[in-house]
Amino acid sequence: MLYLYTPDQPDLYHRLLQDALPEWDVACWPEDVDAESVTHVAAWKPPAGFFKRFPKLQVVFVLGAGVDKFLQRDDLGEQVKIVRLTDAGMAQQMTEYCLYGVLHYQRQMDVYQQQQRAGQWLPQPARLAKAVRVAILGLGQLGAQVAQNLAKMGYRVSGWSRQPRQLDGVTCVHGDAGLRSLLPETDVLFCVLPATPETSPLLDDERLGWLPLDSAIINAGRGSLIDQDALLAQLDRGRLRFALLDVFAEEPLGEKHRFWQHPRVLITPHIAAETVPAEAVGQIAANLRALASGLAVTGLVERRRGY
Ligand code: NDP
Ligand code: OXD
C-alpha cells in the first residue's frame, strides 16, 4: 500500500495518485489502515515520529526537492530509500524567481522605489544584461536550468557546485577555491543549494564580505545557507543593496523578525518553486514502476552526502 501524508491539497494528491496508479492501493492520512501493509509513503512535512508506525516501510517519496528535514528525522531507518522530486515543474519557476530578483537589481527597482517615496523623478543610466554578473550557488536539477536560462537571456552567468560541472554559456567553478574566486566577481548571488552539514551556514560574515559593495542576494535554497544576523549586519551597513529571501532559518518567519521591516529586504513565503501536484504524481508513478521492474529511479537521495 502507498500511504499519503501532506498538509497541502491532500484530496487532490490522493485522487491523482489513485488515478495514476490503479494497480496500487492508495490511502491518505488520517485514514486508519493496517500499518503492516504500508510499504511506500508519499509525504511532505509529516509530523515527528510519523514513520515509526510502518514496520515494512521501504521507500519514502518526498513531495518536494529538498530533503534536509527528512534526513534530520530519527524515525527513518537507513534501510528506507528516500526519493525526492527532480525538477517536476520547479526549474521554470526557479528561473522566474531568480529573474525577478536579477531584474530588480539590473533595472534598479529598489532605487526607483526609494525615489518614489521621496517624490523624485531621477532616471538612472541603463545597465545592459551583459554587464550584470549573476552567480548561481548550486548547479543541480534547478540551479543548472536557472543558470542556462539566464545565460540565454544575455546575463554573465557563473555557477558553483561541489563537483566540477560543464554547462553551455555558464562559467562553472567548484569547491572552496571556486567560491573564493566567484564571490568578489558577483553582482547578484542566487542560492539554490540544499541544506547539508557542509552548507549550513555557507555564507557567514566573512564570505558575505567577499561580495562586492552594492551587490544583491537572492536565497531560494534554504534559510540555513546564510547566517541571518551577518546578512542583516551587511544590509544595515548598506554594503549589500538588497536581499530577496524566500527561505528562512525558521519558517514561517517569526512576526518580530527584523527582516519584515528592513528597507533592503524583500520577503516571499517559501514559494520560489512550488510543487505542481500533477507533475509530482507523474514522477512518483514512473518511479514506482521503475522500482517494480528493478530499474533506476530518478531522485534517489544519497544520505551520506546529504542531498
Ligand atoms: P540537486 O540535488 O539537484 O542539486 C544540488 C546542487 O547543490 C548540486 O549542484 C550540488 O553539487 C550542489 N551542492 C551541494 N552541496 C554542495 C557543497 N557543499 N558545495 C558546493 N555545491 C554543493 O538539488 P535541486 O537543484 O533539485 O534543489 C536544490 C535545493 O533547492 C533543494 O535542496 C531545496 O533546498 C531548494 N528548493 C527550494 C524551493 C523553494 O521554493 N524555495 C523549491 C525547491 C527546492 P554537485 O552538482 O557537485 O552535486
Ligand atoms: C522543496 C521546497 O524542497 O519546496 O521542494 O522547498
Side-chain angles (χ1 to χ4, degrees):
M1 175 185 285
L2 172 66
Y3 198 68
L4 166 69
Y5 181 98
T6 174
D8 307 325
Q9 309 181 77
D11 295 340
L12 173 63
Y13 275 103
H14 191 186
R15 181 172 53 75
L16 290 173
L17 278 168
Q18 193 63 84
D19 287 353
L21 294 161
E23 71 276 29
W24 277 78
D25 189 5
V26 184
C28 179
W29 188 89
E31 198 179 329
D32 201 11
V33 294
D34 170 17
E36 295 259 340
S37 65
V38 174
T39 50
H40 295 65
V41 167
W44 190 242
K45 296 188 180 160
F50 175 77
F51 295 110
K52 278 207 182 99
R53 73 197 76 183
F54 306 120
K56 306 238 167 91
L57 184 61
Q58 296 169 19
V59 183
V60 172
F61 294 103
V62 177
L63 294 172
V67 291
D68 42 305
K69 290 281 188 292
F70 285 79
L71 296 180
Q72 288 158 9
R73 304 176 66 99
D74 63 4
D75 58 350
L76 274 179
E78 291 281 325
Q79 77 288 355
V80 179
K81 290 187 173 72
I82 300 177
V83 179
R84 71 186 187 92
L85 296 178
T86 54
D87 183 355
M90 286 186 265
Q92 175 65 27
Q93 295 179 68
M94 270 303 177
T95 300
E96 291 157 4
Y97 192 86
C98 179
L99 180 61
Y100 183 88
V102 169
L103 287 171
H104 196 79
Y105 173 89
Q106 179 199 352
R107 301 308 307 257
Q108 310 193 63
M109 292 303 175
D110 53 332
V111 176
Y112 291 123
Q113 277 169 351
Q114 284 166 20
Q115 292 185 181
Q116 179 179 341
R117 284 192 284 272
Q120 290 172 324
W121 181 276
L122 278 179
Q124 301 291 326
R127 187 163 176 186
L128 300 184
K130 66 182 180 190
V132 178
R133 301 165 299 177
V134 181
I136 315 279
L137 301 188
L139 292 176
Q141 293 289 329
L142 303 179
Q145 287 199 54
V146 174
Q148 290 190 296
N149 288 336
L150 265 84
K152 281 189 204 134
M153 291 174 205
Y155 293 99
R156 273 169 65 190
V157 183
S158 303
W160 183 69
S161 54
R162 210 165 54 102
Q163 305 296 323
R165 301 261 153 215
Q166 277 197 320
L167 292 172
D168 282 348
V170 179
T171 305
C172 297
V173 297
H174 65 280
D176 287 348
L179 189 64
R180 183 68 185 91
S181 63
L182 180 64
L183 292 183
E185 300 297 323
T186 296
D187 296 314
V188 183
L189 185 67
F190 179 61
C191 305
V192 65
L193 288 160
T196 71
E198 282 177 35
T199 62
S200 304
L202 178 79
L203 297 172
D204 56 12
D205 195 46
E206 183 186 358
R207 286 175 169 160
L208 287 171
W210 294 343
L211 286 164
L213 185 68
D214 243 13
S215 49
I217 288 198
I218 309 168
N219 188 12
R222 284 291 182 263
S224 62
L225 301 175
I226 304 182
D227 177 335
Q228 296 189 156
D229 291 336
L231 177 60
L232 271 169
Q234 303 248 357
L235 291 164
D236 286 344
R237 292 205 296 277
R239 266 209 81 251
L240 297 176
R241 231 169 84 185
F242 67 85
L244 168 57
L245 305 175
D246 186 54
V247 286
F248 301 88
E250 206 184 303
E251 295 183 8
L253 182 64
E255 59 181 37
K256 298 227 162 70
H257 201 284
R258 282 193 55 216
F259 280 150
W260 284 115
Q261 304 302 335
H262 202 291
R264 293 181 186 274
V265 175
L266 297 162
I267 292 174
T268 51
H270 200 139
I271 49 72
E274 298 179 270
T275 300
V276 182
E279 301 265 353
V281 165
Q283 206 168 89
I284 291 169
N287 272 335
L288 268 170
R289 294 196 174 111
L291 281 169
S293 322
L295 299 171
V297 295
T298 58
L300 183 62
V301 173
E302 283 184 41
R303 285 171 180 259
R304 215 168 24 83
R305 65 176 195 177
Y307 65 100

